[in-house]
Amino acid sequence: NAGVTQTPKFRVLKTGQSMTLLCAQDMNHEYMYWYRQDPGMGLRLIHYSVGEGTTAKGEVPDGYNVSRLKKQNFLLGLESAAPSQTSVYFCASRNVGLGGYTQYFGPGTRLTVL
Amino acid sequence: AQKVTQAQTEISVVEKEDVTLDCVYETRDTTYYLFWYKQPPSGELVFLIRRNSFDEQNEISGRYSWNFQKSTSSFNFTITASQVVDSAVYFCALSEANSGGSNYKLTFGKGTLLTVNP
């Protein structure tokens, strides 16, 4: 039981390049999330999904796209990376239901855009 | 709107001291959940505790204790006899329980960096 895993752990991109971050969970959770963490800012929600085939925007969605083709996977894409997207990205998942369920986080991906 | 404030940006203590991390929240919901997460230097986010708004009992887990006071909208975290391994960033977070709207959302404070010196 691996919980939430993220691939890759580290990545360096040049401005304008594209990439996809993969999040996988083996807990059969319906809800999945992508956050970014920047110094002094806490965690901010980028996009989330309440089930397979559904996605929605969070607080800071610009410059990112997501897809949830399979229940266990949630992909985050950067089509044209910018230095402002240098950050640590966390994926999380939780059970469906009212807001009381705990979100469990992956180990994070450190992305640097030059 | 949900909001979580952790006014202490950084705290530094000497090992074996007790330390309290403050968390103040804002919400319009009458039913909500509060969380604490720990982020050690290795970077992962570790879930510590969840409390619901109907349960104001304080909780103790080993050297950790939590004080929830609805009257002051606070959910403070105390580490007793701190150790070097407690050095981490600690996040307080809030989730509303309403069945529509923002029940998916977990709002984080900006975190408190705790450094425990030997």
mmCIF file of all heavy atoms in Angstrom, chain B residues 73-107:
data_model
loop_
_atom_site.group_PDB
_atom_site.id
_atom_site.type_symbol
_atom_site.label_atom_id
_atom_site.label_comp_id
_atom_site.label_asym_id
_atom_site.label_seq_id
_atom_site.Cartn_x
_atom_site.Cartn_y
_atom_site.Cartn_z
ATOM 1 N N SER B 73 -12.073 30.974 18.352
ATOM 2 C CA SER B 73 -11.753 30.448 17.016
ATOM 3 C C SER B 73 -10.282 30.071 16.922
ATOM 4 O O SER B 73 -9.566 30.478 15.994
ATOM 5 C CB SER B 73 -12.098 31.475 15.933
ATOM 6 O OG SER B 73 -13.471 31.737 15.918
ATOM 7 N N SER B 74 -9.841 29.313 17.897
ATOM 8 C CA SER B 74 -8.428 28.928 17.907
ATOM 9 C C SER B 74 -8.267 27.421 18.058
ATOM 10 O O SER B 74 -9.099 26.746 18.662
ATOM 11 C CB SER B 74 -7.686 29.654 19.031
ATOM 12 O OG SER B 74 -8.175 29.239 20.296
ATOM 13 N N PHE B 75 -7.200 26.940 17.486
ATOM 14 C CA PHE B 75 -6.883 25.505 17.554
ATOM 15 C C PHE B 75 -5.366 25.406 17.699
ATOM 16 O O PHE B 75 -4.636 25.192 16.742
ATOM 17 C CB PHE B 75 -7.374 24.802 16.296
ATOM 18 C CG PHE B 75 -7.211 23.293 16.314
ATOM 19 C CD1 PHE B 75 -7.522 22.552 17.437
ATOM 20 C CD2 PHE B 75 -6.765 22.629 15.180
ATOM 21 C CE1 PHE B 75 -7.391 21.171 17.446
ATOM 22 C CE2 PHE B 75 -6.631 21.239 15.169
ATOM 23 C CZ PHE B 75 -6.943 20.514 16.300
ATOM 24 N N ASN B 76 -4.902 25.563 18.928
ATOM 25 C CA ASN B 76 -3.472 25.663 19.182
ATOM 26 C C ASN B 76 -2.840 24.310 19.461
ATOM 27 O O ASN B 76 -3.482 23.394 19.982
ATOM 28 C CB ASN B 76 -3.214 26.604 20.355
ATOM 29 C CG ASN B 76 -3.637 28.020 20.048
ATOM 30 O OD1 ASN B 76 -3.739 28.417 18.890
ATOM 31 N ND2 ASN B 76 -3.922 28.788 21.092
ATOM 32 N N PHE B 77 -1.587 24.211 19.127
ATOM 33 C CA PHE B 77 -0.833 22.946 19.179
ATOM 34 C C PHE B 77 0.363 23.139 20.102
ATOM 35 O O PHE B 77 1.156 24.056 19.890
ATOM 36 C CB PHE B 77 -0.410 22.613 17.755
ATOM 37 C CG PHE B 77 0.500 21.430 17.596
ATOM 38 C CD1 PHE B 77 0.481 20.360 18.477
ATOM 39 C CD2 PHE B 77 1.377 21.371 16.521
ATOM 40 C CE1 PHE B 77 1.311 19.262 18.300
ATOM 41 C CE2 PHE B 77 2.217 20.267 16.338
ATOM 42 C CZ PHE B 77 2.180 19.229 17.217
ATOM 43 N N THR B 78 0.469 22.289 21.104
ATOM 44 C CA THR B 78 1.576 22.383 22.053
ATOM 45 C C THR B 78 2.432 21.128 21.995
ATOM 46 O O THR B 78 1.917 20.008 21.985
ATOM 47 C CB THR B 78 1.057 22.583 23.487
ATOM 48 O OG1 THR B 78 0.362 23.820 23.563
ATOM 49 C CG2 THR B 78 2.205 22.594 24.493
ATOM 50 N N ILE B 79 3.732 21.349 21.936
ATOM 51 C CA ILE B 79 4.686 20.244 22.036
ATOM 52 C C ILE B 79 5.374 20.372 23.388
ATOM 53 O O ILE B 79 5.967 21.420 23.698
ATOM 54 C CB ILE B 79 5.730 20.286 20.909
ATOM 55 C CG1 ILE B 79 5.031 20.229 19.549
ATOM 56 C CG2 ILE B 79 6.723 19.137 21.052
ATOM 57 C CD1 ILE B 79 5.976 20.405 18.362
ATOM 58 N N THR B 80 5.268 19.346 24.170
ATOM 59 C CA THR B 80 5.881 19.332 25.495
ATOM 60 C C THR B 80 7.261 18.675 25.401
ATOM 61 O O THR B 80 7.437 17.686 24.685
ATOM 62 C CB THR B 80 5.003 18.534 26.470
ATOM 63 O OG1 THR B 80 3.693 19.117 26.494
ATOM 64 C CG2 THR B 80 5.584 18.535 27.877
ATOM 65 N N ALA B 81 8.210 19.258 26.117
ATOM 66 C CA ALA B 81 9.576 18.698 26.123
ATOM 67 C C ALA B 81 10.063 18.480 24.697
ATOM 68 O O ALA B 81 10.344 17.351 24.277
ATOM 69 C CB ALA B 81 9.619 17.410 26.928
ATOM 70 N N SER B 82 10.172 19.563 23.963
ATOM 71 C CA SER B 82 10.500 19.486 22.538
ATOM 72 C C SER B 82 11.820 18.760 22.296
ATOM 73 O O SER B 82 12.718 18.747 23.155
ATOM 74 C CB SER B 82 10.564 20.888 21.946
ATOM 75 O OG SER B 82 11.555 21.662 22.605
ATOM 76 N N GLN B 83 11.906 18.160 21.109
ATOM 77 C CA GLN B 83 13.115 17.451 20.701
ATOM 78 C C GLN B 83 13.555 17.958 19.340
ATOM 79 O O GLN B 83 12.751 18.516 18.589
ATOM 80 C CB GLN B 83 12.820 15.939 20.622
ATOM 81 C CG GLN B 83 12.383 15.327 21.930
ATOM 82 C CD GLN B 83 12.010 13.856 21.794
ATOM 83 O OE1 GLN B 83 12.115 13.262 20.716
ATOM 84 N NE2 GLN B 83 11.575 13.250 22.894
ATOM 85 N N VAL B 84 14.804 17.718 19.022
ATOM 86 C CA VAL B 84 15.341 18.184 17.735
ATOM 87 C C VAL B 84 14.515 17.638 16.572
ATOM 88 O O VAL B 84 14.298 18.316 15.571
ATOM 89 C CB VAL B 84 16.827 17.790 17.605
ATOM 90 C CG1 VAL B 84 17.339 18.095 16.206
ATOM 91 C CG2 VAL B 84 17.663 18.517 18.654
ATOM 92 N N VAL B 85 14.009 16.424 16.713
ATOM 93 C CA VAL B 85 13.227 15.808 15.633
ATOM 94 C C VAL B 85 11.890 16.509 15.404
ATOM 95 O O VAL B 85 11.212 16.260 14.408
ATOM 96 C CB VAL B 85 12.962 14.312 15.887
ATOM 97 C CG1 VAL B 85 14.251 13.539 15.833
ATOM 98 C CG2 VAL B 85 12.233 14.101 17.201
ATOM 99 N N ASP B 86 11.498 17.386 16.327
ATOM 100 C CA ASP B 86 10.263 18.151 16.144
ATOM 101 C C ASP B 86 10.465 19.333 15.200
ATOM 102 O O ASP B 86 9.503 19.996 14.807
ATOM 103 C CB ASP B 86 9.754 18.683 17.489
ATOM 104 C CG ASP B 86 9.347 17.562 18.438
ATOM 105 O OD1 ASP B 86 8.853 16.518 17.958
ATOM 106 O OD2 ASP B 86 9.539 17.730 19.666
ATOM 107 N N SER B 87 11.689 19.612 14.850
ATOM 108 C CA SER B 87 11.981 20.720 13.932
ATOM 109 C C SER B 87 11.296 20.468 12.595
ATOM 110 O O SER B 87 11.546 19.452 11.936
ATOM 111 C CB SER B 87 13.490 20.871 13.725
ATOM 112 O OG SER B 87 14.135 21.213 14.928
ATOM 113 N N ALA B 88 10.438 21.398 12.215
ATOM 114 C CA ALA B 88 9.636 21.223 10.999
ATOM 115 C C ALA B 88 8.814 22.484 10.788
ATOM 116 O O ALA B 88 8.791 23.381 11.633
ATOM 117 C CB ALA B 88 8.690 20.025 11.147
ATOM 118 N N VAL B 89 8.137 22.534 9.651
ATOM 119 C CA VAL B 89 7.090 23.533 9.439
ATOM 120 C C VAL B 89 5.768 22.865 9.786
ATOM 121 O O VAL B 89 5.496 21.733 9.351
ATOM 122 C CB VAL B 89 7.060 24.039 7.983
ATOM 123 C CG1 VAL B 89 5.951 25.070 7.812
ATOM 124 C CG2 VAL B 89 8.404 24.636 7.602
ATOM 125 N N TYR B 90 4.963 23.547 10.561
ATOM 126 C CA TYR B 90 3.671 23.011 10.978
ATOM 127 C C TYR B 90 2.565 23.864 10.370
ATOM 128 O O TYR B 90 2.582 25.093 10.468
ATOM 129 C CB TYR B 90 3.562 23.008 12.502
ATOM 130 C CG TYR B 90 4.474 21.995 13.147
ATOM 131 C CD1 TYR B 90 5.789 22.331 13.456
ATOM 132 C CD2 TYR B 90 4.032 20.706 13.413
ATOM 133 C CE1 TYR B 90 6.638 21.389 14.033
ATOM 134 C CE2 TYR B 90 4.866 19.766 13.992
ATOM 135 C CZ TYR B 90 6.170 20.116 14.299
ATOM 136 O OH TYR B 90 7.021 19.194 14.860
ATOM 137 N N PHE B 91 1.621 23.176 9.739
ATOM 138 C CA PHE B 91 0.507 23.849 9.082
ATOM 139 C C PHE B 91 -0.792 23.516 9.796
ATOM 140 O O PHE B 91 -1.066 22.346 10.098
ATOM 141 C CB PHE B 91 0.379 23.405 7.620
ATOM 142 C CG PHE B 91 1.476 23.878 6.730
ATOM 143 C CD1 PHE B 91 2.543 23.053 6.421
ATOM 144 C CD2 PHE B 91 1.449 25.157 6.194
ATOM 145 C CE1 PHE B 91 3.565 23.483 5.589
ATOM 146 C CE2 PHE B 91 2.469 25.605 5.364
ATOM 147 C CZ PHE B 91 3.526 24.768 5.063
ATOM 148 N N CYS B 92 -1.596 24.544 9.995
ATOM 149 C CA CYS B 92 -2.960 24.389 10.453
ATOM 150 C C CYS B 92 -3.862 24.535 9.225
ATOM 151 O O CYS B 92 -3.555 25.322 8.311
ATOM 152 C CB CYS B 92 -3.263 25.480 11.482
ATOM 153 S SG CYS B 92 -4.909 25.443 12.196
ATOM 154 N N ALA B 93 -4.952 23.787 9.174
ATOM 155 C CA ALA B 93 -5.839 23.840 8.012
ATOM 156 C C ALA B 93 -7.287 23.673 8.436
ATOM 157 O O ALA B 93 -7.577 23.103 9.485
ATOM 158 C CB ALA B 93 -5.452 22.755 6.996
ATOM 159 N N LEU B 94 -8.189 24.167 7.587
ATOM 160 C CA LEU B 94 -9.623 24.190 7.888
ATOM 161 C C LEU B 94 -10.407 23.651 6.706
ATOM 162 O O LEU B 94 -10.112 23.993 5.554
ATOM 163 C CB LEU B 94 -10.053 25.642 8.157
ATOM 164 C CG LEU B 94 -11.542 25.985 8.155
ATOM 165 C CD1 LEU B 94 -12.237 25.396 9.365
ATOM 166 C CD2 LEU B 94 -11.729 27.497 8.121
ATOM 167 N N SER B 95 -11.416 22.834 6.992
ATOM 168 C CA SER B 95 -12.317 22.361 5.952
ATOM 169 C C SER B 95 -13.753 22.539 6.425
ATOM 170 O O SER B 95 -14.075 22.180 7.555
ATOM 171 C CB SER B 95 -12.035 20.887 5.661
ATOM 172 O OG SER B 95 -12.913 20.385 4.692
ATOM 173 N N GLU B 96 -14.587 23.092 5.558
ATOM 174 C CA GLU B 96 -15.990 23.258 5.898
ATOM 175 C C GLU B 96 -16.753 22.011 5.508
ATOM 176 O O GLU B 96 -16.413 21.334 4.548
ATOM 177 C CB GLU B 96 -16.557 24.497 5.205
ATOM 178 C CG GLU B 96 -15.953 25.783 5.738
ATOM 179 C CD GLU B 96 -16.424 27.006 4.966
ATOM 180 O OE1 GLU B 96 -16.934 26.849 3.846
ATOM 181 O OE2 GLU B 96 -16.260 28.110 5.499
ATOM 182 N N ALA B 97 -17.826 21.712 6.201
ATOM 183 C CA ALA B 97 -18.526 20.436 6.020
ATOM 184 C C ALA B 97 -19.792 20.564 5.192
ATOM 185 O O ALA B 97 -20.523 19.593 5.051
ATOM 186 C CB ALA B 97 -18.866 19.833 7.368
ATOM 187 N N ASN B 98 -20.048 21.735 4.632
ATOM 188 C CA ASN B 98 -21.308 21.859 3.897
ATOM 189 C C ASN B 98 -21.338 20.929 2.700
ATOM 190 O O ASN B 98 -20.317 20.575 2.128
ATOM 191 C CB ASN B 98 -21.534 23.308 3.469
ATOM 192 C CG ASN B 98 -20.440 23.823 2.552
ATOM 193 O OD1 ASN B 98 -20.200 23.271 1.481
ATOM 194 N ND2 ASN B 98 -19.774 24.861 2.961
ATOM 195 N N SER B 99 -22.516 20.532 2.313
ATOM 196 C CA SER B 99 -22.649 19.512 1.273
ATOM 197 C C SER B 99 -22.509 20.089 -0.125
ATOM 198 O O SER B 99 -22.392 19.353 -1.085
ATOM 199 C CB SER B 99 -24.002 18.824 1.396
ATOM 200 O OG SER B 99 -25.040 19.773 1.278
ATOM 201 N N GLY B 100 -22.529 21.369 -0.244
ATOM 202 C CA GLY B 100 -22.287 21.979 -1.548
ATOM 203 C C GLY B 100 -21.209 23.007 -1.416
ATOM 204 O O GLY B 100 -20.601 23.153 -0.363
ATOM 205 N N GLY B 101 -20.942 23.723 -2.450
ATOM 206 C CA GLY B 101 -19.985 24.809 -2.332
ATOM 207 C C GLY B 101 -18.570 24.334 -2.085
ATOM 208 O O GLY B 101 -18.015 23.595 -2.880
ATOM 209 N N SER B 102 -18.020 24.715 -0.968
ATOM 210 C CA SER B 102 -16.581 24.538 -0.777
ATOM 211 C C SER B 102 -16.201 23.343 0.075
ATOM 212 O O SER B 102 -15.124 23.332 0.651
ATOM 213 C CB SER B 102 -16.005 25.806 -0.157
ATOM 214 O OG SER B 102 -16.586 26.015 1.108
ATOM 215 N N ASN B 103 -17.041 22.332 0.157
ATOM 216 C CA ASN B 103 -16.714 21.243 1.074
ATOM 217 C C ASN B 103 -15.511 20.421 0.616
ATOM 218 O O ASN B 103 -14.949 19.670 1.391
ATOM 219 C CB ASN B 103 -17.905 20.317 1.256
ATOM 220 C CG ASN B 103 -18.194 19.518 -0.006
ATOM 221 O OD1 ASN B 103 -18.208 20.065 -1.099
ATOM 222 N ND2 ASN B 103 -18.398 18.241 0.148
ATOM 223 N N TYR B 104 -15.120 20.591 -0.626
ATOM 224 C CA TYR B 104 -13.946 19.886 -1.098
ATOM 225 C C TYR B 104 -12.670 20.507 -0.570
ATOM 226 O O TYR B 104 -11.612 19.914 -0.602
ATOM 227 C CB TYR B 104 -13.895 19.971 -2.627
ATOM 228 C CG TYR B 104 -13.729 21.395 -3.111
ATOM 229 C CD1 TYR B 104 -12.463 21.939 -3.308
ATOM 230 C CD2 TYR B 104 -14.822 22.217 -3.315
ATOM 231 C CE1 TYR B 104 -12.286 23.252 -3.707
ATOM 232 C CE2 TYR B 104 -14.657 23.531 -3.720
ATOM 233 C CZ TYR B 104 -13.396 24.041 -3.914
ATOM 234 O OH TYR B 104 -13.241 25.339 -4.306
ATOM 235 N N LYS B 105 -12.738 21.725 -0.144
ATOM 236 C CA LYS B 105 -11.551 22.569 -0.010
ATOM 237 C C LYS B 105 -10.908 22.494 1.365
ATOM 238 O O LYS B 105 -11.597 22.455 2.379
ATOM 239 C CB LYS B 105 -11.964 24.013 -0.287
ATOM 240 C CG LYS B 105 -10.825 25.000 -0.343
ATOM 241 C CD LYS B 105 -11.386 26.390 -0.682
ATOM 242 C CE LYS B 105 -10.272 27.423 -0.655
ATOM 243 N NZ LYS B 105 -10.784 28.773 -0.937
ATOM 244 N N LEU B 106 -9.598 22.456 1.391
ATOM 245 C CA LEU B 106 -8.814 22.528 2.613
ATOM 246 C C LEU B 106 -8.007 23.808 2.548
ATOM 247 O O LEU B 106 -7.183 23.968 1.647
ATOM 248 C CB LEU B 106 -7.903 21.299 2.702
ATOM 249 C CG LEU B 106 -7.175 21.022 4.006
ATOM 250 C CD1 LEU B 106 -8.159 20.842 5.142
ATOM 251 C CD2 LEU B 106 -6.316 19.778 3.850
ATOM 252 N N THR B 107 -8.286 24.719 3.466
ATOM 253 C CA THR B 107 -7.578 25.997 3.468
ATOM 254 C C THR B 107 -6.463 25.947 4.501
ATOM 255 O O THR B 107 -6.706 25.670 5.672
ATOM 256 C CB THR B 107 -8.549 27.145 3.806
ATOM 257 O OG1 THR B 107 -9.556 27.207 2.796
ATOM 258 C CG2 THR B 107 -7.812 28.478 3.854
#
